Amino acid sequence: MAKFIVDNKTVEADESITLLRACLENDIYIPNLCWLKGMADAPVSCRLCFVEIEGEEQLTSSCKIKVRDDMVVKTDTPAVRRLQKTAFQLLMSAHEINCKVCPANKKCELQKIARFLKTGLKPKNMNSHLKEISADMPPNPSLDLHVNRCVLCGRCIYTCIQKQGQSQITFAKRGIDTIISFYGAPEVLSATCSECLACVSICPVSAITLT
Amino acid sequence: MKKATPINKDIPEQAYDRIYKQAMQRQEAFLSVPGPRIHIGTATCGIAAGALETRSAFEEALAQRNIDAQIHTVGCFGHCYAEPVVIIDHPDSGFPPIFYPEVTSAKAKMLTTLFLQEGDPRFEHILGATVANEMIPSIMDFARFNQEKRVVMEKCGQIDPENIDEYIASDGYSALAKSLQRDSVEIIDLVKKSGLRGRGGAGFPTGLKWEFTQNEQDNETIVVCNADEGDPGAYMDRTILESNPHQILEGMVICGYATGARRGIIYVRAEYPLAVKLVTHAVEQARAYSILGQSVLNTDFAFDIEIFQGSGAFVCGEETALIRSMEGHRGAPRYRPPYPAQKGLHNLPTVINNVKTFACIAPIVNKGAQWFRTIGTKQSPGTAIFSVVGSVVHAGLVEIPMGVTLRTLIFDICGGIPDNKQFKAVQIGGPSGGCLPAEFLDTPIDFDSLTEAGAMMGSGGMVVMDEDSCMVDVARFFLDFTQKESCGKCTFCRIGTHQLLNILARLTRGEGREGDIDLLDDFSVDIKNGSLCGLGKTAPNPVLTSLRYFKDEYIAHINEKCCPGMACRTLTAFYIELDQCARGCDLCEACCPVEAVFTTSNRKKGIDQALCVKCGECQVACPPDYDAVRKVSPAALVPVIEHTG
């Protein structure tokens, strides 16, 4: 067990777990999207879970470092909040904000983060960028993808690998056009996906729904 | 790692001696053939300028005139402004070997007749002789040649990259033979003492990187050469691979021996087909000479190299993305640490070095760490290679000792700015680098000074810009590049660069708003701090440096809708100065592609602003005697000329 301090509070946690998990399990919320408990190797892609660790010059992604004795962590410094807010607003600038019709409404991870960071859902000073939905995306008979809800956290891909051994979902394209996409023959997808639905339940923003 | 123990009591020195003698015999046989020798530079740049046509023209003309001459294809000399480059060595004429620039097919035929047959070297076409002599000024009298210091590119343009014997005959692979007689720790020590820093951009000490890998020796280690060069305007690695691939292989084998690796991989862009072909050929030759394979130079050290072709993603030049790509995944970076030296390809310790870094190894082993330290500066020993492009007279590859100032490089070595224009800025380090203004021309070129100034060494791209370039547009260009090349993994790089680009594009269209400068600055700082990998972390640099040094241009774009460099089309306009326009002259009207030029009632010309696409053709067509076409910014400055009057 490691004993360390987070926001002036003493926390104890097993040395094998990440700082993010230790904080979450001790009721210290740090915004996060791409990390899941049990991940051996977090993708570190959402760029929300920054913390400040005493003695370190740069902010650290808490999903990537293991807890250690005597570390002094701060989760709510101005620098941390600034980066978190920008990252969140950037995500929202590429997100279709139409909560009323969204099945994730009220349990949405984005709404939770917005409340926590005390920021609006609609970003200021940013152009909204929604993707055009291309017709050539491989279809999945049982599931619908909503590319403009998706925040590209990759939880579905990880979960699919855990459940099915090999992911039926992947990242496609690149840069601002990056999307998640199903791949494989529709029959295979139809058979496995309609039974499993793990991706539907893990998605923090209801970007994958039942047809 | 123990000292390699020789097999059959044959030490690597003897094995090397054998191939060296063989190579020398072949070399002497080649040199003992009487008659002229024609050396033609046929790397990609030469070929693009027509070197292959030049070669055919020589072959044809030689056959026609029945002249016995040998054509020798070599790599690139680095003198792009002079391509296709030909050196003619015609001993019977009494002249020394002569360097001819811009040898087109017609010139090749002319030189065959007049020089090779009749002995007249045609002085008006000569750049210089390659050796000092009484008759023709030597090329070494010119700054473009004598201020260079060639370590990495020493043999580029001298030897045939397809012929391993030529490399060996010029002492190639002797450093490998020497290394194999030493302890691997000694070699790492030597590289550490030399102070060599990674030439890929960040400048991490190479010896230290090797040591980290060596410390991880429980496992198999892997040596990777990063030849995924992708900066716009940079082509140093390609040229070296195409001109002297064996020097890189030699560096990699030595590295493999020092770090205890058995496997080397060259990650080269598929967009460099000639480099891929020549390196593959070089590897095959090295295998045939027992320089690669189960027993390198007859020792029990085994090392082989394979070629991996990258498929066009800029981000794969980032080492963790490069590894992912070689593992067969999407080329996306991952969090560091662990660094590849600890956990790299397939989780094995992996040394990843740039092409130029590996090319420095053999000279360091041969001439010693002390010698290497005499070149360059204390903190950045050795040389730097830049591909200097843009508004300079003598564009091309330049290898200079570190510490030379930008002014010397741009104005003395590369001949300054053409067409009497003013220097405005120099962009160093590609999309990760920055633009430095004239005040920084006296900055010495080394890792630390450039970083301090806000640019970075990068892999060696250098774009020189004159007064006609717009710094906002330059920033926009680079952001457009990084935005397209972002892998899309992390939020800041994926969406942040897109937002930055949006603002910059708005400014160049004259739609800037108050507060945009602060917005650009804030976004840039956040993207820098928040991004996962080096691509995102450095992507805002072109914006940050141009904001720092050319803020007035940003302000002019926003407040006055004015582009001081007159490069942003929407902010500029053309008009015709009626006082200078000649009656009855129709040149501008004739060349206008959109029929925007009209004739006024007194037979002068005017431009219909609604039709004009601002191509500038009329300004080019207008005879210098009249010089009546004006370009202005902001566009609102254009005087109104009535269409009919």
Side-chain angles (χ1 to χ4, degrees):
Chain A
M1 288 298 255
K3 209 169 163 187
F4 54 97
I5 295 166
V6 183
D7 297 338
N8 301 322
K9 186 175 148 189
T10 308
V11 177
E12 270 186 66
D14 193 281
E15 270 132 344
S16 66
I17 69 169
T18 61
L19 177 60
L20 176 61
R21 182 173 159 190
C23 288
L24 294 176
E25 285 175 356
N26 283 282
D27 291 327
I28 302 165
Y29 181 65
I30 298 172
N32 68 89
L33 283 169
C34 66
W35 175 85
L36 281 175
K37 195 169 149 179
M39 264 183 184
D41 217 0
V44 211
S45 60
C46 71
R47 314 304 286 159
L48 284 167
C49 68
F50 289 110
V51 293
E52 209 173 286
I53 297 173
E54 215 176 80
E56 283 179 28
E57 236 171 83
Q58 307 223 318
L59 302 184
T60 312
S61 300
S62 60
C63 65
K64 202 61 199 181
I65 57 154
K66 298 268 159 68
V67 299
R68 52 174 193 269
D69 260 328
D70 301 326
M71 69 197 305
V72 180
V73 184
K74 289 206 174 85
T75 70
D76 64 348
T77 65
V80 167
R81 289 292 180 249
R82 172 175 167 167
L83 273 195
Q84 285 172 334
K85 275 184 187 162
T86 310
F88 178 72
Q89 288 171 351
L90 286 171
L91 284 172
M92 294 311 286
S93 76
H95 180 78
E96 187 181 2
I97 305 170
N98 195 355
C99 301
K100 277 183 195 152
V101 300
C102 178
N105 194 12
K106 298 212 167 118
K107 51 181 200 273
C108 173
E109 203 74 23
L110 295 174
Q111 290 173 338
K112 180 177 170 185
I113 294 170
R115 260 199 314 278
F116 179 79
L117 292 176
K118 299 189 184 69
T119 173
L121 286 173
K122 231 183 156 101
K124 283 178 214 146
N125 302 323
M126 287 189 202
N127 278 12
S128 161
H129 178 91
L130 296 183
K131 291 159 196 148
E132 282 177 29
I133 294 144
S134 57
D136 59 352
M137 274 190 13
N140 185 320
S142 5
L143 301 172
D144 274 342
L145 269 185
H146 306 268
V147 290
N148 285 322
R149 278 185 201 153
C150 177
V151 288
L152 296 167
C153 64
R155 283 187 189 185
C156 51
I157 298 175
Y158 172 81
T159 311
C160 194
I161 295 172
Q162 297 300 306
K163 290 267 174 178
Q164 303 296 336
Q166 191 194 347
S167 183
Q168 318 276 6
I169 317 169
T170 182
F171 290 115
K173 305 191 182 176
R174 60 179 178 177
I176 188 79
D177 300 321
T178 311
I179 48 167
I180 52 164
S181 166
F182 292 107
Y183 67 99
E187 316 80 80
V188 181
L189 287 176
S190 171
T192 43
C193 296
S194 59
E195 299 276 298
C196 168
L197 302 184
C199 55
V200 178
S201 53
I202 203 74
C203 180
V205 296
S206 289
I208 309 177
T209 54
L210 272 171
T211 20
Chain B
M1 186 76 198
K2 295 192 299 287
K3 203 166 164 173
T5 45
I7 298 168
N8 299 336
K9 294 179 183 171
D10 198 357
I11 56 166
E13 188 73 32
Q14 282 171 339
Y16 178 72
D17 266 353
R18 243 195 342 266
I19 56 171
Y20 179 72
K21 278 188 187 130
Q22 207 178 40
M24 282 310 277
Q25 270 168 14
R26 285 179 191 160
Q27 186 75 357
E28 275 156 21
F30 172 72
L31 291 174
S32 64
V33 178
R37 264 180 292 279
I38 305 164
H39 309 275
I40 308 177
T42 46
T44 297
C45 39
I47 291 174
L52 293 182
E53 288 80 2
T54 304
R55 188 172 69 188
S56 324
F58 269 117
E59 280 163 356
E60 216 173 282
L62 289 172
Q64 253 173 24
R65 316 214 156 252
N66 229 348
I67 304 169
D68 242 349
Q70 295 187 77
I71 291 180
H72 184 220
T73 50
V74 292
C76 174
F77 296 92
H79 294 256
C80 301
Y81 63 94
E83 296 284 5
V85 166
V86 171
I87 291 177
I88 300 182
D89 183 5
H90 187 13
D92 296 342
S93 70
F95 289 106
I98 299 170
F99 186 112
Y100 289 97
E102 295 170 64
V103 183
T104 54
S105 333
K107 227 187 233 182
K109 284 182 185 148
M110 180 270 289
L111 286 172
T112 313
T113 316
L114 297 180
F115 186 31
L116 296 181
Q117 197 165 39
E118 295 168 16
D120 172 6
R122 306 307 299 169
F123 287 98
E124 70 274 29
H125 294 293
I126 290 177
L127 193 82
T130 59
V131 289
N133 66 95
E134 303 275 290
M135 287 171 282
I136 302 171
S138 158
I139 48 173
M140 291 312 282
D141 296 345
F142 304 127
R144 185 65 170 75
F145 291 82
N146 64 24
Q147 299 216 10
E148 280 200 53
K149 168 78 194 170
R150 293 203 163 187
V151 172
V152 169
M153 290 180 56
E154 194 193 349
K155 299 183 179 105
C156 291
Q158 316 264 354
I159 59 170
D160 181 354
E162 294 194 71
N163 188 345
I164 189 172
D165 286 327
E166 293 194 19
Y167 180 65
I168 296 172
S170 58
D171 278 340
Y173 289 114
S174 60
L176 173 63
K178 279 182 200 143
S179 303
L180 290 177
Q181 297 167 59
R182 296 198 205 171
D183 198 86
S184 57
V185 180
E186 250 178 87
I187 295 167
I188 291 183
D189 217 41
L190 176 76
V191 177
K192 271 166 75 179
K193 276 195 190 129
S194 75
L196 174 65
R197 295 171 68 171
R199 296 307 198 236
F204 190 81
T206 307
L208 269 184
K209 198 184 252 187
W210 291 16
E211 196 174 50
F212 289 151
T213 316
Q214 200 201 32
N215 290 340
E216 300 279 329
Q217 260 201 23
D218 293 343
N219 280 316
E220 186 194 336
T221 46
I222 297 173
V223 174
V224 175
C225 173
N226 184 348
D228 190 52
E229 179 179 54
D231 290 7
Y235 51 92
M236 304 75 52
D237 296 354
R238 185 195 70 208
T239 303
I240 298 164
L241 285 169
E242 286 175 358
S243 305
N244 188 7
H246 287 288
Q247 192 165 333
I248 297 147
L249 301 191
E250 186 172 8
M252 287 179 74
V253 185
I254 294 173
C255 172
Y257 176 73
T259 56
R262 297 170 57 88
R263 210 177 142 199
I265 303 168
I266 300 178
Y267 189 102
V268 55
R269 303 178 72 182
E271 294 96 323
Y272 285 175
L274 185 64
V276 172
K277 187 185 132 203
L278 292 178
V279 173
T280 311
H281 182 71
V283 166
E284 281 160 10
Q285 284 183 321
R287 283 191 195 129
Y289 277 63
S290 274
I291 285 157
L292 294 174
Q294 278 310 308
S295 63
V296 174
L297 289 178
N298 277 2
T299 61
D300 64 357
F301 168 57
F303 190 80
D304 207 354
I305 292 177
E306 55 204 278
I307 316 289
F308 188 97
Q309 294 187 43
S311 326
F314 175 70
V315 71
C316 288
E318 199 277 344
E319 54 183 18
T320 60
L322 183 140
I323 288 170
R324 291 288 290 168
S325 142
M326 284 199 290
E327 288 171 345
H329 297 283
R330 216 177 131 80
R334 64 157 173 77
Y335 187 83
R336 296 185 308 181
Y339 289 90
Q342 300 148 331
K343 267 187 175 186
L345 186 64
H346 304 301
N347 285 329
L348 299 172
T350 306
V351 190
I352 303 180
N353 278 137
N354 179 267
V355 170
K356 295 172 288 281
T357 316
F358 281 123
C360 286
I361 300 299
I364 290 174
V365 172
N366 270 331
K367 298 180 186 165
Q370 269 316 314
W371 164 81
F372 194 71
R373 279 201 172 274
T374 59
I375 309 165
T377 63
K378 194 160 185 287
Q379 297 302 320
S380 308
T383 58
I385 302 181
F386 284 102
S387 54
V388 187
V389 297
S391 300
V392 281
V393 175
H394 294 145
L397 286 191
V398 190
E399 183 168 3
I400 43 158
M402 296 261 191
V404 165
T405 63
L406 286 167
R407 189 186 300 281
T408 309
L409 175 59
I410 296 168
F411 288 91
D412 298 346
I413 302 180
C414 291
I417 318 290
D419 304 328
N420 288 324
K421 288 196 173 149
Q422 285 296 312
F423 170 89
K424 183 172 205 170
V426 54
Q427 211 281 349
I428 312 168
S432 311
C435 300
L436 300 181
E439 298 95 275
F440 284 82
L441 277 174
D442 292 313
T443 310
I445 297 172
D446 63 66
F447 288 103
D448 309 308
S449 309
L450 287 181
T451 310
E452 206 175 299
M456 69 182 257
M457 192 78 164
S459 63
M462 183 177 284
V463 186
V464 181
M465 286 170 276
D466 64 24
E467 59 197 46
D468 288 343
S469 37
C470 164
M471 301 319 290
V472 181
D473 193 51
V474 168
R476 188 202 56 78
F477 169 81
F478 281 108
L479 255 293
D480 185 48
F481 179 83
T482 31
Q483 190 264 149
K484 280 190 186 125
E485 292 296 342
S486 161
C487 75
K489 180 174 177 176
C490 85
T491 307
F492 282 98
C493 181
R494 181 179 71 237
I495 313 173
T497 55
H498 180 79
Q499 293 290 351
L500 262 190
L501 175 66
N502 266 341
I503 303 174
L504 291 168
R506 235 177 44 219
L507 297 191
T508 59
R509 288 197 307 265
E511 295 160 20
R513 299 194 281 254
E514 208 179 314
D516 273 349
I517 290 182
D518 292 334
L519 216 52
L520 281 172
D521 198 50
D522 285 349
F523 271 148
S524 298
V525 170
D526 286 350
I527 295 170
K528 211 176 163 77
N529 291 332
S531 290
L532 174 63
C533 83
L535 184 122
K537 279 184 191 300
T538 56
N541 281 353
V543 183
L544 286 169
T545 51
S546 56
L547 263 181
R548 186 170 351 151
Y549 302 126
F550 299 95
K551 198 169 196 168
D552 48 338
E553 289 203 18
Y554 280 86
I555 295 172
H557 276 75
I558 296 170
N559 294 353
E560 298 157 39
K561 312 293 173 214
C562 164
C563 174
M566 300 226 217
C568 301
R569 281 200 178 190
T570 354
L571 304 186
T572 54
F574 289 89
Y575 73 93
I576 289 162
E577 190 73 71
L578 289 176
D579 290 347
Q580 281 175 272
C581 182
R583 274 199 189 88
C585 165
D586 279 331
L587 285 173
C588 53
E589 191 170 359
C591 76
C592 179
V594 290
E595 294 178 18
V597 181
F598 59 85
T599 307
T600 63
S601 56
N602 57 358
R603 289 170 53 226
K604 294 194 173 190
K605 302 291 179 223
I607 296 174
D608 187 335
Q609 297 299 332
L611 294 176
C612 178
V613 290
K614 297 162 192 174
C615 64
E617 281 296 312
C618 49
Q619 197 172 31
V620 178
C622 187
D625 283 353
Y626 309 146
D627 190 21
V629 181
R630 298 273 179 278
K631 190 180 188 183
V632 285
S633 178
L637 288 181
V638 165
V640 179
I641 300 171
E642 290 300 330
H643 209 139
T644 49

